[in-house]
Amino acid sequence: MASATRLHLYIWPGEWGLPSVDAHCLAAALYLQLVAPGRFSLVESADADSAPHGQLPYLVNGEHRISGFAAIVKYLDNTLDDQLSATETATSLAWRAYIDLHCGNLLAHSLFAVGPNYYPLTHTMLATHLPVPQRYYVPQRLRTLYRPRLEDVAMWDIGHGEEEKEKEKASREDAWTRAKKSLTTDEASAKVRLAFGRERVLEKARDALDPLARLLDSRDFIYQHRPTSIDLLLAAHVLLLVDPPYPDPLIGTLITESYPSLVAHARLILSLAFPTPPGPSHVPPQILFAPDPSLVYMPRTLLASSPPARFATFLVAGLGAVALVTSAMRTIRASA
Amino acid sequence: MSAKISTPRRLAAFYSHFPLKTLPEVEGRRPSAATPTLWIQPAPSSPLSADVDCLAAQALLALLGKHVALRTDLTAQGAVDGRLPNLQLPDGQLLPAHAIANWAGAPAEVDEARAWVSLLRSSIRPALLLHAPRQSLLDWSRGKRDEWRALLSPPPPPATGLGSPLPVFGTRVDVEGVRHQFAAALHALADRLGRDQWFLGASSPTALDATVFAYLHCAMKVPELRASIDAFPALVKWEQHVRAKVLDVKHQQSGYDV
């Protein structure tokens, strides 16, 4: 890795006091802040299509573009993990996969599956950072991406259903109408289903978090006496489960009340990377903003996408242009 | 008085070309009521299943010395939760995949074992999916796309792009990234196994050993992945050792086998 050139880390934008709203982006930002302070810039971008494989984060170093947290860690010579033994390195990889899978499911459930969280919080946050017209369909597309993995573990539909729409209607109904509705069988069965669904999610959350709490035990860091990549990945997931103002903070509340060691660990990692107030030796990263991927820049976005997508786009555009010209010529001949 | 309607002669002559025959009753072998039966997906010309989860259950039962019959004529649609393997008990119970280890009396899974299972699922299964046989276009556009999104973290974006105005189609998978993750997982497995007979230094086989064996065995059947695994002779030797133990257990074939 060339150390002279400045690194640019492209990540999803930050919110809720965190550098990024995505766990891998946040972990990558923490990693660079610990291994290369003052030598990189954070570039807030909502244009995932410009990334090498359509996913953020990605790191730019001159002509090199490296995508994904694991690849970025490897590209930076595994600086934080270089003092681990072979067994610790192997086990760390396994635990990172565990955190990615189980904590990732909990985070995806909180952000995307729970309707009362998704519409007022996640959707609004994403739409704020996306230009027109992407803000009208990209959040829902992101939500759809997570649906298969959550359905696989029965964490997608836990009974919220149309609850968010019912809440809108409630504001226009009087108390008598609401009381009558609460006595109906459908309403009662929906409440029971939701209660069982929430309990099932809590059970899965405890099942996922108990091993991590045992792994951390009462130590500051998981391995040795310094943070490694697994600490950063765990901290990123915990911070995003605890800090956002979820309207339904089911899992965040569980972590705060039942797993204080995980919360303390996450806060410690965040304070090491971004201390408040900043110490005399702390060098905050320069924060830049990626170009607005609006309609004006759509050709660039298209050129960065996969070849089949480019072909399909140009084919549709070409056929549209031909149809437009043909109809214009018919109109001219008819009027002549 | 009931009027009998006789078949017209020409029609009867036409039907005479297609006589109705009654075949004798086939006496099939009935499964032994005292033997638990493991429902698995078959493999062509191999007693070991071609599916990772089925093979893991088959290997676990064999390594723990549990003698079971095998049934390979069922599809996942007929199984509990729509997933194979299932274990049919003599009392009529049908156990889903996640309950088989408990029934077999496998040792309780330690925390680190769960981490390794996560690594196998996130690093080796995507490589198997990458080299899975091609399906029909309809299956491919729906099933495989959802399978990639369920396996990879974060889930891959659509091939048409996340922000594209085009309707969503396909999946944009980082193929090189999948291959790198596969190689890294093999390296980690080899380092962790070391010179131990069973993973995590256990004195006897556990569910983790059965799972690792299943993934390695299925990966070694893919030529592109076999080349990567051959770079770790310890893993190859370990897989051969476990395979010999699994095949050594003679499975009583059930009467339903095709």
mmCIF file of all heavy atoms in Angstrom, chain A residues 73-109:
data_model
loop_
_atom_site.group_PDB
_atom_site.id
_atom_site.type_symbol
_atom_site.label_atom_id
_atom_site.label_comp_id
_atom_site.label_asym_id
_atom_site.label_seq_id
_atom_site.Cartn_x
_atom_site.Cartn_y
_atom_site.Cartn_z
ATOM 1 N N VAL A 73 -9.464 -4.105 4.983
ATOM 2 C CA VAL A 73 -8.565 -4.515 6.072
ATOM 3 C C VAL A 73 -7.346 -5.232 5.496
ATOM 4 O O VAL A 73 -6.208 -4.979 5.895
ATOM 5 C CB VAL A 73 -9.319 -5.431 7.055
ATOM 6 C CG1 VAL A 73 -8.358 -6.119 8.004
ATOM 7 C CG2 VAL A 73 -10.349 -4.635 7.834
ATOM 8 N N LYS A 74 -7.591 -6.109 4.530
ATOM 9 C CA LYS A 74 -6.476 -6.860 3.927
ATOM 10 C C LYS A 74 -5.567 -5.915 3.139
ATOM 11 O O LYS A 74 -4.339 -6.046 3.161
ATOM 12 C CB LYS A 74 -7.039 -7.944 3.009
ATOM 13 C CG LYS A 74 -6.000 -8.926 2.515
ATOM 14 C CD LYS A 74 -6.632 -10.007 1.682
ATOM 15 C CE LYS A 74 -5.541 -10.902 1.122
ATOM 16 N NZ LYS A 74 -6.054 -11.912 0.200
ATOM 17 N N TYR A 75 -6.154 -4.958 2.442
ATOM 18 C CA TYR A 75 -5.366 -4.017 1.643
ATOM 19 C C TYR A 75 -4.450 -3.173 2.519
ATOM 20 O O TYR A 75 -3.337 -2.823 2.135
ATOM 21 C CB TYR A 75 -6.304 -3.108 0.841
ATOM 22 C CG TYR A 75 -5.586 -2.106 -0.035
ATOM 23 C CD1 TYR A 75 -4.997 -2.491 -1.234
ATOM 24 C CD2 TYR A 75 -5.487 -0.770 0.350
ATOM 25 C CE1 TYR A 75 -4.333 -1.578 -2.030
ATOM 26 C CE2 TYR A 75 -4.816 0.154 -0.446
ATOM 27 C CZ TYR A 75 -4.243 -0.256 -1.637
ATOM 28 O OH TYR A 75 -3.576 0.655 -2.427
ATOM 29 N N LEU A 76 -4.938 -2.865 3.736
ATOM 30 C CA LEU A 76 -4.132 -2.075 4.662
ATOM 31 C C LEU A 76 -3.233 -2.964 5.500
ATOM 32 O O LEU A 76 -2.849 -2.602 6.622
ATOM 33 C CB LEU A 76 -5.058 -1.239 5.560
ATOM 34 C CG LEU A 76 -5.904 -0.211 4.821
ATOM 35 C CD1 LEU A 76 -6.887 0.469 5.762
ATOM 36 C CD2 LEU A 76 -5.009 0.843 4.175
ATOM 37 N N ASP A 77 -2.912 -4.150 4.961
ATOM 38 C CA ASP A 77 -1.928 -5.061 5.564
ATOM 39 C C ASP A 77 -2.340 -5.572 6.937
ATOM 40 O O ASP A 77 -1.484 -5.928 7.746
ATOM 41 C CB ASP A 77 -0.551 -4.389 5.674
ATOM 42 C CG ASP A 77 -0.013 -3.972 4.322
ATOM 43 O OD1 ASP A 77 -0.286 -4.695 3.339
ATOM 44 O OD2 ASP A 77 0.646 -2.923 4.237
ATOM 45 N N ASN A 78 -3.651 -5.653 7.182
ATOM 46 C CA ASN A 78 -4.131 -6.201 8.463
ATOM 47 C C ASN A 78 -3.403 -5.573 9.656
ATOM 48 O O ASN A 78 -3.022 -6.258 10.595
ATOM 49 C CB ASN A 78 -3.925 -7.720 8.500
ATOM 50 C CG ASN A 78 -4.821 -8.439 7.516
ATOM 51 O OD1 ASN A 78 -6.036 -8.280 7.521
ATOM 52 N ND2 ASN A 78 -4.221 -9.213 6.646
ATOM 53 N N THR A 79 -3.241 -4.262 9.603
ATOM 54 C CA THR A 79 -2.405 -3.587 10.601
ATOM 55 C C THR A 79 -2.838 -3.890 12.028
ATOM 56 O O THR A 79 -2.012 -4.150 12.904
ATOM 57 C CB THR A 79 -2.442 -2.069 10.357
ATOM 58 O OG1 THR A 79 -2.146 -1.825 8.987
ATOM 59 C CG2 THR A 79 -1.460 -1.359 11.247
ATOM 60 N N LEU A 80 -4.152 -3.854 12.274
ATOM 61 C CA LEU A 80 -4.602 -4.056 13.651
ATOM 62 C C LEU A 80 -4.480 -5.513 14.085
ATOM 63 O O LEU A 80 -4.437 -5.804 15.274
ATOM 64 C CB LEU A 80 -6.058 -3.607 13.799
ATOM 65 C CG LEU A 80 -6.327 -2.100 13.771
ATOM 66 C CD1 LEU A 80 -7.784 -1.833 14.067
ATOM 67 C CD2 LEU A 80 -5.443 -1.360 14.762
ATOM 68 N N ASP A 81 -4.438 -6.434 13.140
ATOM 69 C CA ASP A 81 -4.447 -7.858 13.478
ATOM 70 C C ASP A 81 -3.078 -8.504 13.335
ATOM 71 O O ASP A 81 -2.970 -9.727 13.447
ATOM 72 C CB ASP A 81 -5.433 -8.599 12.552
ATOM 73 C CG ASP A 81 -6.855 -8.085 12.681
ATOM 74 O OD1 ASP A 81 -7.121 -7.366 13.665
ATOM 75 O OD2 ASP A 81 -7.688 -8.402 11.824
ATOM 76 N N ASP A 82 -2.034 -7.701 13.087
ATOM 77 C CA ASP A 82 -0.754 -8.316 12.744
ATOM 78 C C ASP A 82 -0.073 -8.988 13.940
ATOM 79 O O ASP A 82 0.863 -9.762 13.759
ATOM 80 C CB ASP A 82 0.187 -7.280 12.109
ATOM 81 C CG ASP A 82 0.396 -6.063 13.006
ATOM 82 O OD1 ASP A 82 -0.185 -6.044 14.107
ATOM 83 O OD2 ASP A 82 1.110 -5.134 12.597
ATOM 84 N N GLN A 83 -0.550 -8.689 15.154
ATOM 85 C CA GLN A 83 0.095 -9.308 16.309
ATOM 86 C C GLN A 83 -0.686 -10.504 16.843
ATOM 87 O O GLN A 83 -0.354 -11.043 17.897
ATOM 88 C CB GLN A 83 0.277 -8.263 17.415
ATOM 89 C CG GLN A 83 1.280 -7.194 17.027
ATOM 90 C CD GLN A 83 1.669 -6.311 18.195
ATOM 91 O OE1 GLN A 83 1.358 -6.594 19.343
ATOM 92 N NE2 GLN A 83 2.331 -5.211 17.881
ATOM 93 N N LEU A 84 -1.734 -10.891 16.139
ATOM 94 C CA LEU A 84 -2.489 -12.064 16.561
ATOM 95 C C LEU A 84 -1.759 -13.325 16.130
ATOM 96 O O LEU A 84 -1.085 -13.354 15.097
ATOM 97 C CB LEU A 84 -3.882 -12.055 15.927
ATOM 98 C CG LEU A 84 -4.835 -10.918 16.322
ATOM 99 C CD1 LEU A 84 -6.146 -11.047 15.583
ATOM 100 C CD2 LEU A 84 -5.056 -10.899 17.815
ATOM 101 N N SER A 85 -1.922 -14.387 16.924
ATOM 102 C CA SER A 85 -1.332 -15.660 16.541
ATOM 103 C C SER A 85 -2.145 -16.254 15.391
ATOM 104 O O SER A 85 -3.217 -15.761 15.057
ATOM 105 C CB SER A 85 -1.346 -16.608 17.738
ATOM 106 O OG SER A 85 -2.689 -16.906 18.095
ATOM 107 N N ALA A 86 -1.627 -17.344 14.815
ATOM 108 C CA ALA A 86 -2.326 -17.971 13.682
ATOM 109 C C ALA A 86 -3.705 -18.459 14.109
ATOM 110 O O ALA A 86 -4.692 -18.292 13.389
ATOM 111 C CB ALA A 86 -1.491 -19.128 13.132
ATOM 112 N N THR A 87 -3.783 -19.046 15.311
ATOM 113 C CA THR A 87 -5.075 -19.538 15.794
ATOM 114 C C THR A 87 -6.033 -18.383 16.061
ATOM 115 O O THR A 87 -7.221 -18.451 15.714
ATOM 116 C CB THR A 87 -4.883 -20.362 17.080
ATOM 117 O OG1 THR A 87 -3.973 -21.432 16.813
ATOM 118 C CG2 THR A 87 -6.197 -20.933 17.573
ATOM 119 N N GLU A 88 -5.517 -17.301 16.651
ATOM 120 C CA GLU A 88 -6.366 -16.141 16.929
ATOM 121 C C GLU A 88 -6.841 -15.507 15.633
ATOM 122 O O GLU A 88 -7.983 -15.066 15.523
ATOM 123 C CB GLU A 88 -5.609 -15.112 17.781
ATOM 124 C CG GLU A 88 -5.471 -15.505 19.241
ATOM 125 C CD GLU A 88 -4.618 -14.513 20.011
ATOM 126 O OE1 GLU A 88 -3.765 -13.828 19.395
ATOM 127 O OE2 GLU A 88 -4.789 -14.411 21.245
ATOM 128 N N THR A 89 -5.973 -15.442 14.630
ATOM 129 C CA THR A 89 -6.367 -14.880 13.339
ATOM 130 C C THR A 89 -7.474 -15.722 12.709
ATOM 131 O O THR A 89 -8.465 -15.182 12.196
ATOM 132 C CB THR A 89 -5.159 -14.825 12.386
ATOM 133 O OG1 THR A 89 -4.125 -14.057 12.982
ATOM 134 C CG2 THR A 89 -5.547 -14.203 11.060
ATOM 135 N N ALA A 90 -7.323 -17.039 12.785
ATOM 136 C CA ALA A 90 -8.339 -17.917 12.206
ATOM 137 C C ALA A 90 -9.661 -17.771 12.959
ATOM 138 O O ALA A 90 -10.737 -17.648 12.357
ATOM 139 C CB ALA A 90 -7.858 -19.365 12.246
ATOM 140 N N THR A 91 -9.578 -17.778 14.274
ATOM 141 C CA THR A 91 -10.803 -17.664 15.077
ATOM 142 C C THR A 91 -11.451 -16.297 14.897
ATOM 143 O O THR A 91 -12.678 -16.181 14.886
ATOM 144 C CB THR A 91 -10.470 -17.906 16.561
ATOM 145 O OG1 THR A 91 -9.645 -19.060 16.676
ATOM 146 C CG2 THR A 91 -11.722 -18.139 17.360
ATOM 147 N N SER A 92 -10.622 -15.268 14.757
ATOM 148 C CA SER A 92 -11.152 -13.923 14.538
ATOM 149 C C SER A 92 -11.968 -13.875 13.251
ATOM 150 O O SER A 92 -13.032 -13.242 13.196
ATOM 151 C CB SER A 92 -9.997 -12.915 14.480
ATOM 152 O OG SER A 92 -10.463 -11.652 14.072
ATOM 153 N N LEU A 93 -11.495 -14.548 12.201
ATOM 154 C CA LEU A 93 -12.233 -14.586 10.941
ATOM 155 C C LEU A 93 -13.597 -15.252 11.140
ATOM 156 O O LEU A 93 -14.618 -14.793 10.608
ATOM 157 C CB LEU A 93 -11.414 -15.339 9.888
ATOM 158 C CG LEU A 93 -11.995 -15.325 8.478
ATOM 159 C CD1 LEU A 93 -11.944 -13.919 7.894
ATOM 160 C CD2 LEU A 93 -11.225 -16.279 7.570
ATOM 161 N N ALA A 94 -13.612 -16.321 11.920
ATOM 162 C CA ALA A 94 -14.878 -17.015 12.172
ATOM 163 C C ALA A 94 -15.843 -16.119 12.960
ATOM 164 O O ALA A 94 -17.034 -16.039 12.643
ATOM 165 C CB ALA A 94 -14.610 -18.312 12.937
ATOM 166 N N TRP A 95 -15.315 -15.431 13.948
ATOM 167 C CA TRP A 95 -16.185 -14.558 14.750
ATOM 168 C C TRP A 95 -16.683 -13.361 13.938
ATOM 169 O O TRP A 95 -17.801 -12.892 14.139
ATOM 170 C CB TRP A 95 -15.461 -14.086 16.010
ATOM 171 C CG TRP A 95 -15.486 -15.095 17.108
ATOM 172 C CD1 TRP A 95 -14.429 -15.795 17.618
ATOM 173 C CD2 TRP A 95 -16.638 -15.533 17.849
ATOM 174 N NE1 TRP A 95 -14.849 -16.639 18.618
ATOM 175 C CE2 TRP A 95 -16.205 -16.500 18.777
ATOM 176 C CE3 TRP A 95 -17.990 -15.198 17.816
ATOM 177 C CZ2 TRP A 95 -17.068 -17.139 19.659
ATOM 178 C CZ3 TRP A 95 -18.855 -15.834 18.696
ATOM 179 C CH2 TRP A 95 -18.394 -16.791 19.605
ATOM 180 N N ARG A 96 -15.869 -12.876 13.028
ATOM 181 C CA ARG A 96 -16.335 -11.786 12.167
ATOM 182 C C ARG A 96 -17.501 -12.256 11.301
ATOM 183 O O ARG A 96 -18.462 -11.528 11.070
ATOM 184 C CB ARG A 96 -15.183 -11.253 11.315
ATOM 185 C CG ARG A 96 -14.387 -10.173 12.027
ATOM 186 C CD ARG A 96 -13.053 -9.876 11.407
ATOM 187 N NE ARG A 96 -13.072 -9.791 9.962
ATOM 188 C CZ ARG A 96 -11.988 -9.606 9.232
ATOM 189 N NH1 ARG A 96 -10.824 -9.481 9.816
ATOM 190 N NH2 ARG A 96 -12.051 -9.544 7.927
ATOM 191 N N ALA A 97 -17.402 -13.498 10.825
ATOM 192 C CA ALA A 97 -18.515 -14.041 10.043
ATOM 193 C C ALA A 97 -19.759 -14.176 10.924
ATOM 194 O O ALA A 97 -20.881 -13.924 10.485
ATOM 195 C CB ALA A 97 -18.125 -15.404 9.462
ATOM 196 N N TYR A 98 -19.544 -14.560 12.175
ATOM 197 C CA TYR A 98 -20.667 -14.693 13.113
ATOM 198 C C TYR A 98 -21.339 -13.341 13.352
ATOM 199 O O TYR A 98 -22.567 -13.220 13.327
ATOM 200 C CB TYR A 98 -20.148 -15.268 14.434
ATOM 201 C CG TYR A 98 -21.209 -15.447 15.493
ATOM 202 C CD1 TYR A 98 -21.903 -16.641 15.616
ATOM 203 C CD2 TYR A 98 -21.501 -14.417 16.384
ATOM 204 C CE1 TYR A 98 -22.880 -16.807 16.588
ATOM 205 C CE2 TYR A 98 -22.480 -14.572 17.348
ATOM 206 C CZ TYR A 98 -23.156 -15.776 17.456
ATOM 207 O OH TYR A 98 -24.120 -15.933 18.415
ATOM 208 N N ILE A 99 -20.533 -12.300 13.564
ATOM 209 C CA ILE A 99 -21.069 -10.962 13.798
ATOM 210 C C ILE A 99 -21.798 -10.464 12.557
ATOM 211 O O ILE A 99 -22.891 -9.908 12.633
ATOM 212 C CB ILE A 99 -19.933 -9.993 14.182
ATOM 213 C CG1 ILE A 99 -19.360 -10.372 15.545
ATOM 214 C CG2 ILE A 99 -20.422 -8.547 14.211
ATOM 215 C CD1 ILE A 99 -18.053 -9.663 15.866
ATOM 216 N N ASP A 100 -21.183 -10.679 11.396
ATOM 217 C CA ASP A 100 -21.810 -10.267 10.138
ATOM 218 C C ASP A 100 -23.175 -10.911 9.982
ATOM 219 O O ASP A 100 -24.147 -10.275 9.559
ATOM 220 C CB ASP A 100 -20.929 -10.716 8.967
ATOM 221 C CG ASP A 100 -20.265 -9.540 8.286
ATOM 222 O OD1 ASP A 100 -20.734 -8.406 8.497
ATOM 223 O OD2 ASP A 100 -19.293 -9.757 7.546
ATOM 224 N N LEU A 101 -23.258 -12.201 10.324
ATOM 225 C CA LEU A 101 -24.501 -12.928 10.105
ATOM 226 C C LEU A 101 -25.540 -12.565 11.170
ATOM 227 O O LEU A 101 -26.630 -12.091 10.848
ATOM 228 C CB LEU A 101 -24.220 -14.432 10.134
ATOM 229 C CG LEU A 101 -25.447 -15.343 10.043
ATOM 230 C CD1 LEU A 101 -26.158 -15.148 8.719
ATOM 231 C CD2 LEU A 101 -25.039 -16.812 10.205
ATOM 232 N N HIS A 102 -25.207 -12.784 12.425
ATOM 233 C CA HIS A 102 -26.223 -12.665 13.472
ATOM 234 C C HIS A 102 -26.500 -11.213 13.867
ATOM 235 O O HIS A 102 -27.658 -10.808 13.949
ATOM 236 C CB HIS A 102 -25.782 -13.476 14.691
ATOM 237 C CG HIS A 102 -25.759 -14.952 14.442
ATOM 238 N ND1 HIS A 102 -26.903 -15.714 14.441
ATOM 239 C CD2 HIS A 102 -24.742 -15.795 14.159
ATOM 240 C CE1 HIS A 102 -26.588 -16.983 14.163
ATOM 241 N NE2 HIS A 102 -25.291 -17.060 13.998
ATOM 242 N N CYS A 103 -25.453 -10.433 14.089
ATOM 243 C CA CYS A 103 -25.687 -9.015 14.396
ATOM 244 C C CYS A 103 -26.217 -8.286 13.172
ATOM 245 O O CYS A 103 -27.024 -7.358 13.296
ATOM 246 C CB CYS A 103 -24.397 -8.352 14.889
ATOM 247 S SG CYS A 103 -23.814 -9.022 16.444
ATOM 248 N N GLY A 104 -25.773 -8.729 11.995
ATOM 249 C CA GLY A 104 -26.310 -8.137 10.775
ATOM 250 C C GLY A 104 -27.803 -8.389 10.639
ATOM 251 O O GLY A 104 -28.557 -7.516 10.204
ATOM 252 N N ASN A 105 -28.248 -9.593 11.041
ATOM 253 C CA ASN A 105 -29.689 -9.881 11.001
ATOM 254 C C ASN A 105 -30.451 -8.982 11.972
ATOM 255 O O ASN A 105 -31.525 -8.467 11.650
ATOM 256 C CB ASN A 105 -29.944 -11.347 11.354
ATOM 257 C CG ASN A 105 -29.607 -12.286 10.207
ATOM 258 O OD1 ASN A 105 -29.453 -11.859 9.069
ATOM 259 N ND2 ASN A 105 -29.460 -13.562 10.508
ATOM 260 N N LEU A 106 -29.899 -8.805 13.174
ATOM 261 C CA LEU A 106 -30.570 -7.959 14.156
ATOM 262 C C LEU A 106 -30.666 -6.516 13.655
ATOM 263 O O LEU A 106 -31.706 -5.865 13.796
ATOM 264 C CB LEU A 106 -29.811 -7.995 15.491
ATOM 265 C CG LEU A 106 -29.710 -9.349 16.188
ATOM 266 C CD1 LEU A 106 -28.922 -9.220 17.487
ATOM 267 C CD2 LEU A 106 -31.087 -9.919 16.464
ATOM 268 N N LEU A 107 -29.585 -6.034 13.050
ATOM 269 C CA LEU A 107 -29.573 -4.654 12.550
ATOM 270 C C LEU A 107 -30.532 -4.492 11.378
ATOM 271 O O LEU A 107 -31.293 -3.523 11.312
ATOM 272 C CB LEU A 107 -28.149 -4.272 12.137
ATOM 273 C CG LEU A 107 -27.928 -2.826 11.733
ATOM 274 C CD1 LEU A 107 -28.318 -1.883 12.859
ATOM 275 C CD2 LEU A 107 -26.460 -2.607 11.358
ATOM 276 N N ALA A 108 -30.513 -5.454 10.466
ATOM 277 C CA ALA A 108 -31.412 -5.378 9.309
ATOM 278 C C ALA A 108 -32.871 -5.440 9.767
ATOM 279 O O ALA A 108 -33.743 -4.756 9.217
ATOM 280 C CB ALA A 108 -31.114 -6.517 8.335
ATOM 281 N N HIS A 109 -33.122 -6.265 10.780
ATOM 282 C CA HIS A 109 -34.485 -6.348 11.309
ATOM 283 C C HIS A 109 -34.923 -4.999 11.880
ATOM 284 O O HIS A 109 -36.034 -4.525 11.612
ATOM 285 C CB HIS A 109 -34.556 -7.429 12.389
ATOM 286 C CG HIS A 109 -35.850 -7.443 13.147
ATOM 287 N ND1 HIS A 109 -36.992 -8.048 12.675
ATOM 288 C CD2 HIS A 109 -36.192 -6.888 14.340
ATOM 289 C CE1 HIS A 109 -37.972 -7.876 13.534
ATOM 290 N NE2 HIS A 109 -37.521 -7.174 14.561
#
